[in-house]
Amino acid sequence: MKIDLSTTIGPNQFSNPLINAAGVWDETALELDELVASTAGGVTTKSATLEPRSGNQRPRYADVALGSINSMGLPNQGLKYYLDYVTTHDASKPIDLSIANPNPMDNLTALQMIQDSSFQGLTELNLSCPNVIGKPQIGYDLAALKQILQQAFKLFTKPLGIKLPPYFDLQQFDAVADILNQFPLTFINTINSVGNGLLVDPASERTLIEPKGGFGGIGGAYVKPVALANVHAFRSRLKPTIKIIGTGGVRNGTDVFELILCGADAVSVGTTLMQAGPQLFTKLQDELIQLMVQKHYPSLATFRNQLKAAH
Ligand code: SIN
């Protein structure tokens, strides 16, 4: 049986739905080259600020059996570095250029720089980093969310998506979707890490990471049900032109299948990529293909958003 894993987001055609989550294996040109050379369908760049940042104090990332905690604090080489990379390197697969600026006005400056460049890929505005000390996540402030989108679309005409924090209340999904449907967004990426969890080491009686007294974004298997819920809740509320990148808790091909079944157009991988490296993408594709063969699904479209309720 011939299996077609291709998918599209805006004008970008992906040979398969797998991408790295922003912030994983994507801070330097060397890491980005490894992702471009891997079997990933697309590549995301580390969320860039206008100026380079060294990020929060270490230790700022830890793995545990069920996932990870991070409070990286947006360490990155600055937008110019990533813009140079994406406009001068081999564009053999779609690029998702991520930006995240603690000061909202800087996001507009960043968008203007991208608008004025020759970059033709996707731009992902990260409105959900929980780790910038003293700054809230814009995705939880609905007035600020609407305002940044109004300002962004006044100056930006290229394909634009936003990275959202996880929502937990059905009325929040309604309210956020109402706002998003007012704009010509190309995609959302849901979810960022579950902000401000706490992991502790009972032996040393210490937190696992140092910044913010140990509070950080939780990823990995812990968050998969939250990711599935956010993808499914937004798929049933957003206009069909807004595509969804589903992120959270992917460890195997079945997890990829479940996110697509819930409505994802593409799937990005964070914690497991950090642990296993870019060869992970081949394993995930092999497992996804094996499952699709068993279930007689020749393409992603044949099962996307086909989740049925228990009875
Ligand atoms: C970070 O750099 O702190 C992680 C990025 C994010 O959570 O958006």
Side-chain angles (χ1 to χ4, degrees), residues 22-23 46-47 55-56 70-75 98 100 126-132 137 163 192-193 217:
K46 171 67 188 170
S47 296
N56 294 341
N70 90 83
S71 183
M72 303 299 289
L74 296 174
S98 175
N126 179 352
L127 300 176
S128 49
C129 176
N131 305 325
V132 180
Q137 291 160 268
K163 178 91 173 258
N192 205 325
S193 59

Side-chain angles (χ1 to χ4, degrees), residues 127-148:
L127 300 176
S128 49
C129 176
N131 305 325
V132 180
I133 294 165
K135 294 284 181 182
Q137 291 160 268
I138 295 177
Y140 287 135
D141 176 343
L142 300 200
L145 173 65
K146 186 168 178 179
Q147 189 185 33
I148 185 86

Side-chain angles (χ1 to χ4, degrees), residues 49-51 79 99 101-111:
T49 48
L50 284 184
E51 299 301 326
L79 178 58
I99 55 170
N101 285 280
N103 172 356
M105 291 313 289
D106 288 350
N107 276 321
L108 299 178
T109 307
L111 287 173

